[in-house]
Amino acid sequence: MITLDLDLSYLSSQYQIGSSAMRRYQKQNMSITQIMEAEAAKGNTKAAQFIMQITSNPEELARVLQLVDPKNKYLILMNMNENDLMMIMEYLDPKEMVLGLSIFTQDALLELMMELPSETLANLVLKNMDSNKFLNSIPEKYMDEFFESDKIDRNLFMKALENIDEEQLQKMMENVTGQSCYEEGDSILQRMNAMGEDDFMKAIHSFEPDGKKQLISNLLLEKPNLFEEFSAEAMVHPFSVMQKEDVLKSLTVLDTKEMLPMIEDLPQDIMALIATQIDPKVFSEILCSDFASVIAECGISL
């Protein structure tokens, strides 16, 4: 049996149960349903309508079970399994999810973010900053890793290279050959297109950081979903230099379902704690429709 902090004075007044009778029922450890049945047998019509009242009016069940009390919600939620708790989480809004995530350290938050699907993580980054700001905030090694994606073929590279500043092309060729380069851009692109695959990729990696940023920007203009080819570590990097409060604020751009993977592996007690933020009326509606056995543990048999 789930022992909740109940407002017995409300039950007494709402269902016309005398205080002496209520004290007697308490001493006998009677459940709420048993109390109502005993009262109904004595002709208490209000008590006889109790089950119909709470099933047709979720607000009444919320009032009876005192679901405004986070402790009561927590005790009920602890009687649900992981899948049930994940379902409950879907009824929280993003700000409530973020408030729940605030229990984690910043390092733990970053780890959870890196476990998000790449599409969700890319969405998170680009809703908080544009691609240029992102590229300016990450180490060069992450750009080099990006170039190794099998989603970028030579044709795509060549198309993106057409809009690279000539100066950046010349610096790249100087890095490749070790000699000064004064060729025009078109000539350099022709030389690159004639290279073997290994030499071609060596040339790509030989761009200066600014050239790499230009190249990536051009690639993203051609295929925006290529942003998902950045590693999770790269996409989370800009958040690693933020204050924890700013990291949490950044997460509010996601919807609740997108944040669910961040909490699915948490211990049950932590998940239940986060879920206590659910609106009492919504929670009572869910309890009535899907959790009759849990309500029974609270002393009410539907």
Side-chain angles (χ1 to χ4, degrees), residues 245-261:
E245 292 75 15
D246 293 327
V247 175
L248 289 166
K249 183 179 179 181
S250 73
L251 292 171
T252 59
V253 302
L254 300 177
D255 62 38
T256 298
K257 287 189 177 181
E258 288 177 313
M259 280 190 270
L260 288 177

Side-chain angles (χ1 to χ4, degrees), residues 6 32 61 65 70 74 82 86 90 92 107 160 166 186 209 218 223 233 238-239 241:
L6 302 179
I32 298 175
L61 177 63
L65 296 181
Y74 180 77
E82 180 181 324
M86 288 294 287
E90 294 181 15
L92 301 183
D107 287 343
E166 185 171 87
D186 289 344
N218 292 342
K223 293 183 68 174
E233 185 179 8
F239 301 95
V241 297

Side-chain angles (χ1 to χ4, degrees), residues 32-224:
I32 298 175
T33 296
Q34 289 170 334
I35 292 172
M36 296 304 174
E37 289 173 347
E39 284 292 308
K42 295 192 304 186
N44 183 334
T45 55
K46 277 276 191 177
Q49 297 170 356
F50 173 72
I51 297 300
M52 182 178 68
Q53 174 72 358
I54 63 173
T55 54
S56 63
N57 184 359
E59 288 183 358
E60 180 64 8
L61 177 63
R63 185 71 175 81
V64 170
L65 296 181
Q66 287 290 284
L67 296 182
V68 293
D69 186 341
K71 179 182 176 183
N72 281 357
K73 281 192 283 190
Y74 180 77
L75 291 171
I76 294 170
L77 289 162
M78 282 297 289
N79 281 266
M80 297 182 180
N81 61 38
E82 180 181 324
N83 290 335
D84 293 337
L85 288 172
M86 288 294 287
M87 183 271 285
I88 296 292
M89 296 286 189
E90 294 181 15
Y91 291 88
L92 301 183
D93 67 36
K95 289 184 180 179
E96 289 170 331
M97 288 288 287
V98 165
L99 185 59
L101 290 169
S102 67
I103 64 175
F104 295 106
T105 64
Q106 181 166 350
D107 287 343
L109 278 173
L110 297 177
E111 288 292 331
L112 289 170
M113 289 166 67
M114 281 195 281
E115 293 174 7
L116 290 171
S118 58
E119 181 179 1
T120 301
L121 188 49
N123 182 37
L124 170 63
V125 175
L126 294 175
K127 281 186 175 180
N128 279 282
M129 65 193 76
D130 61 30
S131 58
N132 287 330
K133 183 177 180 180
F134 169 76
L135 292 172
N136 286 326
S137 69
I138 62 172
E140 187 177 358
K141 66 176 183 178
Y142 294 131
M143 291 186 274
D144 285 323
E145 290 173 0
F146 173 84
F147 291 138
E148 296 300 320
S149 168
D150 58 9
K151 300 289 179 62
I152 310 174
D153 59 25
R154 180 183 287 226
N155 290 333
L156 196 55
F157 269 123
M158 289 304 302
K159 191 167 186 179
L161 286 165
E162 292 174 2
N163 294 312
I164 296 291
D165 294 344
E166 185 171 87
E167 180 185 0
Q168 292 298 330
L169 289 170
Q170 291 170 342
K171 286 181 179 179
M172 177 271 294
M173 287 304 296
E174 289 174 358
N175 290 336
V176 170
T177 64
Q179 299 175 350
S180 298
C181 176
Y182 303 101
E183 291 181 60
E184 294 184 350
D186 289 344
S187 175
I188 294 173
L189 291 180
Q190 289 177 8
R191 288 180 62 183
M192 288 187 70
N193 203 24
M195 292 176 178
E197 193 61 30
D198 289 344
D199 288 338
F200 181 83
M201 289 308 300
K202 179 182 177 182
I204 293 294
H205 287 288
S206 296
F207 274 102
E208 297 287 303
D210 285 345
K212 290 176 180 178
K213 292 171 189 175
Q214 285 186 30
L215 179 54
I216 293 173
S217 293
N218 292 342
L219 287 167
L220 293 176
L221 283 174
E222 291 294 324
K223 293 183 68 174

Side-chain angles (χ1 to χ4, degrees), residues 259-275:
M259 280 190 270
L260 288 177
M262 297 182 72
I263 51 90
E264 63 183 357
D265 294 327
L266 295 179
Q268 182 184 7
D269 58 338
I270 300 298
M271 291 179 68
L273 183 63
I274 295 173

